[in-house]
Amino acid sequence: MPSPRKLSRLLCAALLGALLPAAAGAQTREVVSKQIGVGRAQASLRLEFAQGDPLSIRFDDGSIELNDQTIGSYDRGDALDTAWRELLGDAVSLDDGALAQRLRDWTPPGKVAGSEAEAAQRLDRALEDALSASAAPNAPAPPSPPGAPADMDRAMRALVGRPRRLQELGRAIEDLDLSRVQVHVGEDVRVAEGETIPGSVVVVDGDLELKGEIDGSVVIVGGALHLDEGGRVTGDVHLSDARIFRDGGEVEGDVSNVRFDRGDVDRDRIRDEIRRELREEIRGRERSMGPLGRTGRELGELLGILLGVIVMGVLGGGTAVYFAREQMEVVAEAARKAPLRAGAVGLAGAFLTLPAFVLGGLALIVTIVGILALPFWLVLFPVALCLALIVGYLAIAQSVGEWVARQRFSNLDWVRVSNPYTTVFAGVVALSLWLIVAHVIELFGFLRFVSVLLHVLGAILTCVVALIGFGAVLLTRGGRRPAYADASSWGDPWDDEPGYGGSSPSPAAPETPVEPPAQPAGGSTAEPPDTP
Amino acid sequence: MSRVQLALAALLVALVAAPAARAQELQTFTASRRLGAERDLHVRVTYGAGRFTVGSAPAGLLYRMQLRYDEDAFTPVAEYDPGELHLGVESIKKGHIRMGKQDTPELQVDLARGVPMELSLDFGAGRANVDLGGLSLKQLQVHTGAAEARLDVSQPNPLGMERAELEVGAADFSARRLGNLNARRIEVNAGVGDVSLDLTGAWREDGAVSVNMGLGSLELRFPEGVGVKLHQKTFLTSVDAQGLVKRGDSYYSPDWDRTTRHITVDIQAAFGSIDIRWAP
């Protein structure tokens, strides 16, 4: 009877590749290299053996090649092509004896046409011949371990005939120290109380009842580990198609479940990849968006907004006031007196802009003569539209600025009603205040929901202001028809509500300082004193 | 650019790229070889663009390679001659690299642990994840192009190595546990990008590291308990020599005179920043 150490060496060598081909050597030849390619039009296999010529089979766009010689043809997706691809799909995950066995066992499908059937038979024979041990020139006789017990031979034969179990075992013992290992196949193992086994124990198709100690790791494939009181494993426990029953024992290392199922493996791989990518993504974001980075970005955005406000208020507002002061005031008056109507007109105008643009262009084309004017239409219409939006917005901003001036805020005495430049600028700042505050909040990194709320409300406010301004521009024909600014002719319900500038029909605001009225603010002539 | 603009741009890119990604069909190629009596092996892995992974092969295999590639642009390479192993792809059509989020070209190479080898990795663009832990390396050359590359030496190299050479193009490159390489000299040449060199690991003898960097940030992470000497020749580069003391022209770790292992780092850099970090 060989010693346990001798048996373990024998079996481990077998399980890791040396014994497998040897045990299977009576049936299959040793494959040392495989290359499998599968694509849209190709499905190829190339095998190299320890001795002798390699075997190459290639399905390539309708042609079947055996060792670079065409032996027949096939139709893509037919039974033979499908069977061949299935075989290669299996072969990808197999090695050594299991691979050879699977390839040898392959039989072509029965439902193939005559000429194709001949090629299929040749393939089958080629695989059989190439993988038979007798095909190897001067192949040495497979080593038979002297003194190997008959039951061990049976176990090995049982393992060799079960490639899946072998693969599970292969995966389970990947990290095992093979210099000290006992392997038991198809038998239950019992380690009694007080007994210590030096080294690892592998049990295939059997149970391990552990009441003593194993000074190493335990691998169970297709069985169970009963860890009883006093039982102890100093290393890891790897389970493959196996279970562990703990009843007081302990495992000092990790307990892992080694799964073989290819679907599981793929799922695990995909999950790990997703986790890794997420981790990298988060890490990258954290790296690039650390506290300082985030603050810097928010500060940059805040400065950008301030710059935009200044450009809009100073340059845009200044230019608009300089060139179209009266028109802006007419527009502002119209918006003040009938904001609802102006908003409705602005909304309708926004919806009708595109149809008007298209229809206008078509009309010019239809009239033939108008074709000459078409380029101007295409350019000037969008320009006019933008100008209308900007002027409308600035007109509203001017009204807001005038309201600010009347509030007499400390430090804001430079905003005067008599100076439309300051009122426009103050109005733009006031209308953008929500955005500035939102970014200041983000700068400090807390109350983010307030910041989001401000963003949403501010966006709505901006749209409303733009629509009202746009509508007022349309109503007053670009501020050239002051009569339209008079809400009384429209029967606006808002007429009863005194506006910021009062109900003066005059579109032009007074430029000279006016004494404050005795009546409450908001009256028809509620103009604040304007200190020059 | 605001978030809304970014989202719109991403949506536009996705809409434009989606048909191309769908149109791409990748071929798979798998190759492996049983471990023989190899005593010495020169391994060359070349890969153009995609996802690139290197690790250690299961016991009993010399190598295992799994490749997904665009057959219109590349042809797989798995050539073995005694002493020579060449894996990867070769380009058959230039300017034809297609990458989509849905179907990304990919190369995974696993190499035997116990075979002494001179390893050369040549990687173009994409994302690389290389773990050389446990491989028996006599020499190492890593060349990356425009890539996001992660190099890890998770376990010590059982062999000694005279020189490891890392050439980084325009990349985000990080190397971990380089001390496990067991290299006497590590040379890093980087063009543009972020480079992070973690010099922790099991230093078995004194090591010399030279870094030549163009434009970008360089982070060096040293293990505590190992003496560090840093000499830098820089131009318009900020240096955060945290934990180092300047003596003469060089920076030294305070325990330089007491430690048994020493790492000497020589840096040449222009336009960027150098940060020193310490790992416990």
Side-chain angles (χ1 to χ4, degrees), chain A residues 30 32 35-36 38 96 277, chain B residues 27-28 30 32 34 51 78:
Chain A
E30 191 178 352
V32 296
Q35 293 183 5
I36 296 169
V38 178
D96 301 324
E277 288 193 0
Chain B
Q27 181 153 354
T28 61
T30 309
S32 63
R34 277 190 55 196
R51 202 174 287 174

Side-chain angles (χ1 to χ4, degrees), chain A residues 44-64:
Chain A
S44 62
L45 169 72
R46 179 183 165 82
L47 300 175
E48 288 180 30
F49 306 98
Q51 289 164 319
D53 295 330
L55 172 70
S56 168
I57 299 173
R58 187 178 179 90
F59 280 46
D60 189 357
D61 207 12
S63 169
I64 303 172

Side-chain angles (χ1 to χ4, degrees), chain A residues 338-392:
Chain A
L340 200 62
R341 185 189 311 129
V345 171
L347 189 64
F351 278 115
L352 292 173
T353 298
L354 188 61
F357 180 59
V358 174
L359 287 174
L362 288 175
L364 288 174
I365 293 169
V366 169
T367 56
I368 307 296
V369 180
I371 291 176
L372 290 173
L374 188 63
F376 297 99
W377 173 260
L378 294 178
V379 173
L380 293 179
F381 187 93
V383 170
L385 184 67
C386 291
L387 279 176
L389 280 168
I390 292 170
V391 168

Side-chain angles (χ1 to χ4, degrees), chain B residues 9-82:
Chain B
L11 181 66
L12 188 66
V13 168
L15 287 172
V16 171
R22 275 198 300 274
Q24 185 179 14
E25 283 185 35
L26 299 181
Q27 181 153 354
T28 61
F29 180 82
T30 309
S32 63
R33 185 175 195 87
R34 277 190 55 196
L35 190 59
E38 289 82 6
R39 293 282 176 210
D40 207 352
L41 194 63
H42 178 232
V43 181
R44 189 157 58 97
V45 184
T46 52
Y47 190 52
R51 202 174 287 174
F52 179 46
T53 311
V54 176
S56 53
L61 287 182
L62 178 66
Y63 76 87
R64 183 173 64 184
M65 165 178 162
Q66 289 170 303
L67 171 69
R68 298 176 72 237
Y69 68 103
D70 180 359
E71 61 182 320
D72 295 333
F74 298 100
T75 183
V77 178
E79 294 171 353
Y80 173 80
D81 282 318

Side-chain angles (χ1 to χ4, degrees), chain B residues 89-157:
Chain B
V89 294
E90 280 182 356
S91 176
I92 54 175
K93 193 189 288 183
K94 289 190 174 175
H96 198 75
I97 295 171
R98 292 180 295 181
M99 288 178 69
K101 191 74 179 173
Q102 302 297 320
D103 211 0
T104 308
E106 182 176 6
L107 171 65
Q108 177 168 351
V109 171
D110 298 319
L111 298 167
R113 285 183 166 221
V115 178
M117 62 178 73
E118 295 173 7
L119 179 60
S120 169
L121 303 175
D122 206 333
F123 175 59
R127 185 176 289 184
N129 208 331
V130 176
D131 185 356
L132 304 177
L135 297 185
S136 304
L137 299 172
K138 291 167 63 185
Q139 190 176 316
L140 174 67
Q141 285 185 320
V142 178
H143 300 242
T144 72
E148 181 187 334
R150 303 275 174 271
L151 171 71
D152 189 7
V153 191
S154 57
Q155 291 175 39
N157 174 17

Side-chain angles (χ1 to χ4, degrees), chain A residues 207-345:
Chain A
D207 294 351
L208 170 61
E209 187 182 347
L210 184 59
K211 291 183 176 174
E213 180 179 320
I214 291 178
D215 187 13
S217 296
V218 169
V219 174
I220 308 287
V221 179
L225 169 61
H226 299 272
L227 202 55
D228 294 336
E229 185 74 43
R232 186 161 169 263
V233 179
T234 61
D236 300 329
V237 171
H238 302 285
L239 305 170
S240 179
D241 190 18
R243 300 180 66 186
I244 181 169
F245 298 94
R246 293 172 185 262
D247 190 14
E250 65 169 323
V251 178
E252 290 186 3
D254 297 325
V255 178
S256 61
N257 208 341
V258 183
R259 281 176 293 182
F260 172 70
D261 181 65
R262 280 179 57 198
D264 287 345
V265 172
D266 288 345
R267 276 196 294 278
D268 287 348
R269 196 168 73 94
I270 291 167
R271 191 189 58 209
D272 290 346
E273 275 183 13
I274 291 171
R275 278 184 181 164
R276 195 173 59 235
E277 288 193 0
L278 275 175
R279 272 202 299 270
E280 285 174 2
E281 191 81 19
I282 291 166
R283 210 175 296 141
R285 197 175 295 167
E286 282 171 353
R287 199 169 48 219
S288 63
M289 298 290 293
L292 281 177
R294 194 173 56 240
T295 306
R297 198 201 65 175
E298 296 298 341
L299 200 60
E301 286 189 7
L302 182 61
L303 289 175
I305 287 166
L306 290 175
L307 194 65
V309 168
I310 289 169
V311 168
M312 183 80 172
V314 174
L315 287 181
T319 309
V321 169
Y322 184 79
F323 287 106
R325 181 173 177 172
E326 288 187 3
Q327 285 83 353
M328 271 185 67
E329 284 171 351
V330 170
V331 171
E333 188 69 13
R336 262 198 304 269
K337 289 195 169 183
L340 200 62
R341 185 189 311 129
V345 171

Side-chain angles (χ1 to χ4, degrees), chain A residues 460-473:
Chain A
I460 294 171
L461 176 69
T462 303
C463 287
V464 169
V465 167
L467 285 176
I468 292 174
F470 183 51
V473 169

